[in-house]
Amino acid sequence: MKSRTKVVVVGGGIAGCSTLYHLTREGWTDVVLLERNELTSGTTWHSAAQVTNFGVNQTMVGLKSHSIKLYKELAEDPDYPINYHYGDGGIRLANAEEQMKGYRHFTSMARGVDVHFEVIDAEECARRHPLISTDNLIGGLWDPLDGDIDPAQLCQALARRARKAGAVIYRNTPVIGLKQHEDGTWTVETDHGDIDCDIIVNAGGYRVNEIGAMMGVHHPVASMEHQYFLTEEIPLIREADHRMPLIRCPISDYYCRQEKNGLLVGFYEQECKLWGMDGISPHFVNALCPDDLDRVTDVLEGAFARMPSLMEVGIHSIVNGPITYTIDGAPLVGPIPGKRNAFCIIGLRAGLGEGGGLGWLLAQQIVHGESCYDTWCIDPRRFTGHANAELTSLKAIEDYQNEFRFHFPHEHRPAGRPAKTTPLTAALAAEGAEFTVVNGWERADYFKPSVDFKPSLTFDFDEAFEVIAAEVRNVQDNVGLCEVNGFNRLEITGADRLTFLDRLVCGNVTRRTGRVGLAYLLNHQGMIKSEATLAHLPATDRGPERIWYGSAAVSEFHDMDWLQQHLRPGEDVHIRSLTNDQTILVLAGPRARDVLGACARGNWSPEVFPWLSVRETFIGFAPATVMSVSYCGELAYEIHVPNASLYAAYLTLREAGKAHDLSMFGARAVESMRMEKGFLHWKADLITEFDPYETSLARFVKLDKGEFVGKAALLKRKENGARRKLVTLHVASSKTPAHKGSSLMDGEQVVGTVTSGDWGHRVEKNLAYAFVDPAFAENGTLLQLDLCGYSTSTKVIPFSPYDPTFMRVRG
Ligand SMILES: Cc1cc2nc3c(=O)[nH]c(=O)nc-3n(C[C@H](O)[C@H](O)[C@H](O)COP(=O)(O)OP(=O)(O)OC[C@H]3O[C@@H](n4cnc5c(N)ncnc54)[C@H](O)[C@@H]3O)c2cc1C
């Protein structure tokens, strides 16, 4: 066995084989895969192996397109052809109009990555799939490239190509230990000796946490038992002149595809079962769980009703095997949080369809540091400290039970809640808060007008529209109070803190204490990596001179890793997370200064404490750090309070606010207001696919300031010119918001993609942000938006339509 290599991939299922192959394709050929048994002997061998192009965002659709192209190429390789039923087509069924609307939105979104779904009615569904009944059916989404593949052949084909390029695979070689050295390299211990390597990849399938434990991490992945059966031959299929399309049914929670001249039918039953929670026998290899058809009787009936011919055939065999899930159903592919030189490709619940694309994106990240798509939706750092085995299990069960039911806008399912709360959560609930979930945090979305107020799940503006309008109105006219919990807060101290940050951000770092600045971090490709508010605090009895680095609530692990990775040996910089210790209360509106002045001593006038200032103070007797920054476009103060004093600060502000008509507002009002101001949202509008010029952030780039991460690449990009430009749009619909991913059309040509959309209650316009072809970025340009299937007139308007000169913010 080799004693040294560049990368060791642990696990030879589809995840490991695809990663290995793609590493060689990206140019790294000194790579090794270690498999404890034979290739595919985990879950992969018994997969139903359907390969769909469907996904709920462009990254997922794009990576699946890569799988499909790659699998087709492998199937057509004359030296090693494999069985792939390419393009049988597939239908996702619907029995409700709102589902159909969702399908129309996903069709609009997929157009932007050149994937063409079709929304068809019930009769057309039955015409394309002659075995289904149209009872209680409205229609469905047609995916023309749906199909299925032989999973073992697929892995062997990938392994064969990887080997040809120089990769080495050792079978029957269990990894039994992982040791990381001071310089970040690893020693991988196996039964057959050790291998040293630079980078380790966990592709261990349901044994993910056995490998995680070897490196001291726990991955939020749980396994469920999942079952399908194969029928005897069905005469109608034998006699048909085409293969049957695949069916996925959110009405009765089953899927179905043709297998020989019969059907393979798989189930997502409500009485589902976790698997392997208390450890997995080392002898569970090429193995299945015991058949358990009793468990699926609830969904079996629905499948029989939809496909009556199932009742007339016998069951040929049953397959019940473990399948992995994460907290949100999407896999974990990318850097392992808190670890250097360690990656994972785990939690794959649709690994055959996605595996080709996931391995591709992971290999790009390993070799180049970033991939062609923004991969936040699969990034392992999107869950933070709360993501343990118990929470993952609860969410896994919920996700399994809803396998084909996509999330509607503003839908937050109940399992595993509340995971993270603040001392204010109960008080806000008593005020009528309806909560949304942000990285596990329960955050007030809006305040309900009555206890039983429950808006419908819809792609249109919902019944909360007027409630949010009223919250915005009071912020605009008087003053509002809003809790922003979970906001990422890192405290950076040490003599080198400013030079360190200067190296990481593309603009200026505020040198004066008492001041706040907005800064952008780029990756080595010159694209947007992160956004941070940097507040420079003076030395006080609360600490030495320091920078408070604030960024999006979900970015806690992501930003910490990025900062830590860029520390130089010997640099005097210390980074400490305050994320779970401090919560922000935002006081916003023209009377915000009056309320603040009534509960905090000192002079808060704009002359003494202007926009972008920071000061330590007390709200009543609660210690607080106040920043005059605004995300909503009104005079506003972010009041950062240690959680122990949060309730006290809230009571004081609430009391002082009585004289000024203070009322509470929530995250949806904030979302509406930031859309009117040209303020951007990390991982919606700020993504690694675009640079700061394309993102309309040129004013935050200071090319004359010296070196910073991404500068060289950014200079080149600037020379080449923007490929897309972020613009604000006025959408001519008062019924439906523009949803992320919707396509902007010039005739039949897609010329842009929406990143965010919401109603601007102060400007009384339906607004959206979108990246568009620069030829269509001028103010006044008219475009057609494919809005849930309806072509809707849309106009490019100035970037910040509300108070463009920022007079209100300055107060
Ligand atoms: C019944 C069923 C039907 C399914 N149908 C579909 C479908 O239609 N479409 C679809 O896309 N997906 C489907 N899936 C899911 C899909 O099969 C999985 O997502 C995929 O196979 C997971 O691949 P993997 O490589 O992550 O894991 P695995 O295939 O389990 O591979 C992990 C490998 O790691 C090895 N390993 C573990 N520990 C070590 C160690 N310490 N040292 C060395 N090697 C180690 C294991 O031996 C194993 O070979 C289905 C799953 C089930 C159970």
Side-chain angles (χ1 to χ4, degrees):
M1 199 160 86
K2 274 183 153 190
S3 59
R4 188 165 215 301
T5 186
K6 211 166 170 56
V7 183
V8 168
V9 178
V10 186
I14 179 61
C17 292
S18 174
T19 304
L20 190 77
Y21 163 69
H22 283 98
L23 282 169
T24 66
R25 255 191 46 165
E26 295 298 325
W28 283 16
T29 52
D30 179 11
V31 289
V32 163
L33 185 149
L34 301 177
E35 164 54 50
R36 74 197 289 275
N37 306 106
E38 292 295 336
L39 294 183
T40 76
S41 58
T43 289
T44 299
W45 70 276
H46 58 73
S47 177
Q50 301 154 102
V51 179
T52 171
N53 212 342
F54 180 80
V56 294
N57 59 48
Q58 290 192 337
T59 297
M60 293 310 286
V61 175
L63 72 87
K64 289 179 192 195
S65 291
H66 177 83
S67 292
I68 290 170
K69 274 191 206 116
L70 170 66
Y71 299 172
K72 186 158 183 289
E73 185 192 313
L74 293 173
E76 288 168 357
D77 184 342
D79 292 339
Y80 192 86
I82 62 172
N83 289 323
Y84 176 30
H85 297 117
Y86 166 83
D88 284 349
I91 313 173
R92 266 159 216 271
L93 303 177
N95 66 343
E97 237 353 287
E98 279 305 323
Q99 267 170 331
M100 293 291 275
K101 194 167 231 172
Y103 290 160
R104 288 192 189 96
H105 164 63
F106 297 127
T107 303
S108 167
M109 173 272 294
R111 262 173 121 167
V113 283
D114 205 21
V115 169
H116 301 277
F117 300 138
E118 200 185 333
V119 179
I120 55 178
D121 64 19
E123 280 62 44
E124 188 58 22
C125 291
R127 203 188 61 73
R128 295 185 192 190
H129 199 308
L131 297 187
I132 64 169
S133 111
T134 56
D135 285 354
N136 179 31
L137 188 69
I138 296 187
L141 175 120
W142 173 256
D143 166 7
L145 295 188
D146 221 331
D148 68 270
I149 195 158
D150 182 313
Q153 287 183 1
L154 169 62
C155 290
Q156 293 297 348
L158 291 167
R160 180 176 169 273
R161 285 198 173 190
R163 281 191 187 105
K164 264 179 113 175
V168 180
I169 297 175
Y170 298 104
R171 295 173 293 126
N172 300 308
T173 308
V175 170
I176 52 174
L178 294 168
K179 262 198 212 127
Q180 190 159 32
H181 307 287
E182 278 280 296
D183 63 357
T185 61
W186 295 88
T187 295
V188 182
E189 298 168 356
T190 82
D191 276 353
H192 304 321
D194 295 353
I195 307 186
D196 293 328
C197 65
D198 296 331
I199 291 169
I200 191 89
V201 177
N202 182 347
Y206 50 72
R207 295 191 188 275
V208 45
N209 277 312
E210 294 175 11
I211 299 162
M214 294 178 206
M215 57 172 92
V217 296
H218 177 84
H219 296 284
V221 174
S223 299
M224 314 277 304
E225 284 188 23
H226 175 49
Q227 202 162 208
Y228 63 75
F229 63 61
L230 297 153
T231 71
E232 306 283 3
E233 187 169 283
I234 297 176
L236 264 171
I237 294 184
R238 191 185 55 231
E239 286 149 22
D241 57 0
H242 61 87
R243 282 182 56 83
M244 290 299 133
L246 292 86
I247 294 287
R248 292 180 186 79
C249 180
I251 311 161
S252 304
D253 302 304
Y254 74 97
Y255 57 81
C256 165
R257 69 163 174 83
Q258 182 170 339
E259 175 66 23
K260 300 203 171 75
N261 282 331
L263 289 174
L264 178 159
V265 191
F267 302 97
Y268 292 100
E269 65 283 4
Q270 293 300 302
E271 291 301 314
C272 52
K273 207 168 153 189
L274 291 161
W275 181 84
M277 289 293 289
D278 299 312
I280 300 164
S281 159
H283 306 297
F284 191 88
V285 176
N286 267 321
L288 291 173
C289 312
D291 298 350
D292 188 6
L293 271 194
D294 286 349
R295 214 172 68 222
V296 303
T297 42
D298 58 335
V299 279
L300 209 54
E301 273 176 29
F304 281 9
R306 181 68 59 212
M307 309 184 86
S309 46
L310 278 178
M311 285 186 272
E312 288 152 25
V313 282
I315 292 174
H316 173 280
S317 48
I318 299 169
V319 168
N320 184 21
I323 186 167
T324 52
Y325 274 75
T326 65
I327 286 187
D328 62 3
L332 301 170
V333 181
I336 297 175
K339 286 277 156 197
R340 267 194 301 163
N341 300 336
F343 294 80
C344 59
I345 174 163
I346 52 177
L348 277 63
R349 79 179 209 285
L352 271 299
E354 296 170 3
L358 294 175
W360 174 56
L361 295 179
L362 182 61
Q364 290 179 44
Q365 290 182 52
I366 294 172
V367 175
H368 311 296
E370 204 79 72
S371 55
C372 56
Y373 294 124
D374 188 290
T375 48
W376 184 245
C377 62
I378 52 173
D379 194 307
R381 297 164 301 190
R382 69 190 188 276
F383 312 123
T384 55
H386 63 298
N388 62 12
E390 294 307 325
L391 180 66
T392 309
S393 304
L394 292 171
K395 294 307 279 183
I397 291 170
E398 182 182 62
D399 209 55
Y400 185 98
Q401 289 168 331
N402 288 284
E403 178 74 23
F404 297 128
R405 284 186 281 277
F406 53 77
H407 279 82
F408 281 90
H410 307 299
E411 180 180 8
H412 298 283
R413 292 180 179 158
R417 295 179 62 185
K420 292 198 259 189
T421 57
T422 73
L424 266 199
T425 308
L428 297 184
E431 295 233 32
E434 176 67 35
F435 292 95
T436 180
V437 185
V438 182
N439 185 26
W441 291 97
E442 295 288 327
R443 187 178 287 178
D445 217 9
Y446 58 86
F447 290 81
K448 294 182 282 190
S450 60
V451 179
D452 54 358
F453 181 74
K454 198 161 179 50
S456 15
L457 294 176
T458 171
F459 277 77
D460 291 335
F461 291 114
D462 64 17
E463 295 85 347
F465 187 89
E466 288 303 337
V467 177
I468 292 154
E471 288 180 11
V472 170
R473 208 172 305 121
N474 199 51
V475 171
Q476 185 182 20
D477 295 343
N478 300 305
V479 57
L481 186 65
C482 171
E483 183 195 47
V484 182
N485 50 7
F487 195 70
N488 184 37
R489 164 77 51 233
L490 305 176
E491 184 175 82
I492 306 179
T493 50
D496 299 326
R497 67 190 182 284
L498 294 177
T499 43
F500 166 68
L501 281 169
D502 218 20
R503 207 167 65 234
L504 284 178
V505 309
C506 63
N508 290 332
V509 175
T510 174
R511 249 105 198 133
R512 278 170 50 207
T513 56
R515 297 296 293 162
V516 183
L518 189 59
Y520 290 87
L521 292 84
L522 309 185
N523 62 18
H524 295 275
Q525 287 75 16
M527 310 300 221
I528 302 274
K529 187 78 180 167
S530 210
E531 179 194 55
T533 48
L534 302 178
H536 200 173
L537 287 155
T540 62
D541 55 352
R542 294 188 197 166
E545 215 173 277
R546 59 212 184 277
I547 295 276
W548 270 17
Y549 172 112
S551 58
V554 286
S555 70
E556 187 184 348
F557 283 5
H558 174 277
D559 284 14
M560 181 63 110
D561 277 357
W562 187 252
L563 296 183
Q564 295 280 5
Q565 278 162 19
H566 287 86
L567 275 175
R568 287 184 181 156
E571 218 167 11
D572 183 14
V573 175
H574 309 276
I575 308 170
R576 174 168 86 105
S577 174
L578 303 178
T579 301
N580 295 316
D581 305 336
Q582 297 263 340
T583 296
I584 303 174
L585 295 172
V586 171
L587 190 63
R591 297 161 83 179
R593 185 176 293 116
D594 301 330
V595 177
L596 181 63
C599 36
R601 291 187 198 284
N603 184 343
W604 298 98
S605 69
E607 294 74 31
V608 177
F609 194 73
W611 186 38
L612 301 179
S613 301
V614 56
R615 180 194 287 174
E616 287 174 343
T617 185
F618 291 89
I619 299 294
F621 47 80
T625 306
V626 176
M627 296 180 202
S628 53
V629 292
S630 174
Y631 195 52
C632 60
E634 304 293 342
L635 171 70
Y637 302 98
E638 270 187 8
I639 304 170
H640 298 244
V641 187
N643 282 337
S645 308
L646 187 66
Y647 186 58
Y650 156 81
L651 289 178
T652 305
L653 288 162
R654 211 63 183 100
E655 186 58 31
K658 279 183 184 158
H660 301 279
D661 294 323
L662 179 145
S663 62
M664 303 302 295
F665 67 105
R668 283 182 66 179
V670 175
E671 180 63 13
S672 160
M673 291 187 278
R674 71 105 187 166
M675 290 295 307
E676 296 169 304
K677 283 304 300 165
F679 293 150
L680 307 179
H681 199 138
W682 190 65
K683 292 305 174 195
D685 322 300
L686 298 166
I687 57 176
T688 55
E689 289 170 37
F690 300 103
D691 67 36
Y693 298 117
E694 293 168 325
T695 316
S696 293
L697 294 171
R699 65 191 185 285
F700 292 97
V701 181
K702 301 286 175 251
L703 287 173
D704 53 0
K705 68 169 235 184
E707 281 311 306
F708 57 83
V709 172
K711 183 173 178 181
L714 187 64
L715 284 169
K716 257 196 211 132
R717 299 190 60 81
K718 193 176 180 212
E719 223 174 271
N720 293 340
R723 300 153 306 149
R724 283 282 198 255
K725 194 92 189 130
L726 191 71
V727 296
T728 303
L729 300 167
H730 174 203
V731 179
S733 166
S734 52
K735 186 167 170 245
T736 312
H739 296 286
K740 182 174 167 59
S742 303
S743 287
L744 284 151
M745 312 297 299
D746 178 44
E748 281 307 294
Q749 198 197 343
V750 178
V751 294
T753 302
V754 167
T755 56
S756 297
D758 205 349
W759 187 266
H761 289 280
R762 293 170 299 189
V763 297
E764 296 187 339
K765 281 189 173 71
N766 193 357
L767 299 172
Y769 296 139
F771 281 102
V772 299
D773 187 316
F776 299 91
E778 283 301 309
N779 280 336
T781 307
L782 293 176
L783 291 165
Q784 292 301 312
L785 174 66
D786 180 349
L787 189 55
C788 298
Y790 295 98
S791 179
T792 307
S793 171
T794 302
K795 188 161 133 189
V796 178
I797 60 169
F799 207 68
S800 177
Y802 180 70
D803 184 27
T805 54
F806 282 62
M807 294 307 287
R808 295 182 70 90
V809 169
R810 289 169 210 273

